[in-house]
């Protein structure tokens, strides 16, 4: 079955750039989605199909996907960006699968 | 703005079943997928499957095949997720979410979540 690997935690200084990775076998051949989840809230889609932002998501959020790694980049990080972030792909055998999640801390 | 309102928290015993409902405030209930995603305390997201309210067609994650049943009642714009043979590790918040897509959850919108506690 297909698996996605994310770092447990990432820290970033206020105003700097955070990069959260999502590893998977030849993930570059798949569409990757990213969700933000704040404590006690439902997830919110922040990137779809590798690099597209839904309406209402700031331009500071961007995504890329190549080879065995997809990356969510958050520029000019703000305190309000502190959250758990999950990557997700669709695979023909496992269907919708989430990564384990990364806790982003803004210092 | 459409809302998905889920049933309330439940406490149930190992071996029993639980049925969580998800009611759409919008008349146009069909035409979208309803995904079910759960989250155990302090853990990550886990996709369980989806139902197409229009056709009643379902797609379940392999892990839950044989234990989960997703249904809908279009007359009252409500989707249901029933999980049987419950174990303590089924304790989680269960979310429903509307999506235009079967391969991801655009979450337009998500339900508020329903906490299911499995305890003897």
């Amino acid at each position: 079955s297909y698996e996605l690997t994310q770092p447990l935690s990432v820290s970033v200084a206020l105003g700097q750039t955070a990069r959260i990775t999502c590893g998977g076998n030849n993930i570059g051949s798949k569409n990757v989605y990213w969700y933000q989840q704040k404590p006690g809230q439902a997830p919110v889609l922040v990137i779809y199909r590798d690099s597209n932002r839904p309406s209402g998501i700031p331009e500071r959020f961007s995504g890329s996907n190549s080879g065995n790694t997809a990356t969510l980049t958050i520029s000019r990080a703000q305190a309000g960006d502190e959250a758990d972030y999950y990557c997700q792909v669709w695979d023909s055998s496992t269907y919708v699968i989430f990564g384990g999640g990364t806790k982003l801390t803004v210092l | 703005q459409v809302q998905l309102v889920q049933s309330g928290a439940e406490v149930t015993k190992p071996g029993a079943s639980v049925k969580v409902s998800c009611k759409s405030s919008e008349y146009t209930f069909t035409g979208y997928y309803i995904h079910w995603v759960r989250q155990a305390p302090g853990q990550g997201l886990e996709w369980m499957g989806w139902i197409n309210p229009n056709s009643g067609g379902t797609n379940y994650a392999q892990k839950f095949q044989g234990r989960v049943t997703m249904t809908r009642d279009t007359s009252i714009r409500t989707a249901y997720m029933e999980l049987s043979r419950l174990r303590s590790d089924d304790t989680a918040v269960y979310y429903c979410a509307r999506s235009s897509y079967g391969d991801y959850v655009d979450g337009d919108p998500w339900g508020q979540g329903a906490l299911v506690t499995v305890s003897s």
Side-chain angles (χ1 to χ4, degrees), chain A residues 33 35 37 43 49 86 88, chain B residues 39 47 101 103-105 110:
Chain A
Y33 308 88
Y35 302 81
Q37 187 182 33
R49 295 193 188 122
Y86 296 89
Q88 179 248 302
Chain B
Q39 187 168 38
W47 182 78
Y101 307 92
D103 60 343
Y104 72 102
V105 187
W110 289 74

Side-chain angles (χ1 to χ4, degrees), chain A residues 1-97:
Chain A
S1 61
Y2 196 81
E3 294 184 0
L4 296 172
T5 302
Q6 296 183 238
L8 284 176
S9 62
V10 168
S11 297
V12 61
L14 186 67
Q16 297 304 302
T17 297
R19 293 179 179 83
I20 298 172
T21 59
C22 176
N25 184 32
N26 197 25
I27 196 174
S29 66
K30 301 180 183 298
N31 288 316
V32 177
Y33 308 88
W34 290 93
Y35 302 81
Q36 175 194 69
Q37 187 182 33
K38 297 181 179 179
Q41 298 183 19
V44 172
L45 181 72
V46 294
I47 293 289
Y48 66 98
R49 295 193 188 122
D50 294 345
S51 59
N52 297 279
R53 279 177 292 103
S55 173
I57 301 302
E59 290 183 10
R60 300 184 298 103
F61 288 80
S62 62
S64 63
N65 183 21
S66 178
N68 293 317
T69 304
T71 303
L72 172 69
T73 301
I74 305 171
S75 304
R76 302 182 299 283
Q78 301 177 0
D81 297 332
E82 274 206 352
D84 293 326
Y85 290 85
Y86 296 89
C87 59
Q88 179 248 302
V89 300
W90 184 88
D91 176 75
S92 59
S93 61
T94 50
Y95 305 130
V96 173
I97 181 165

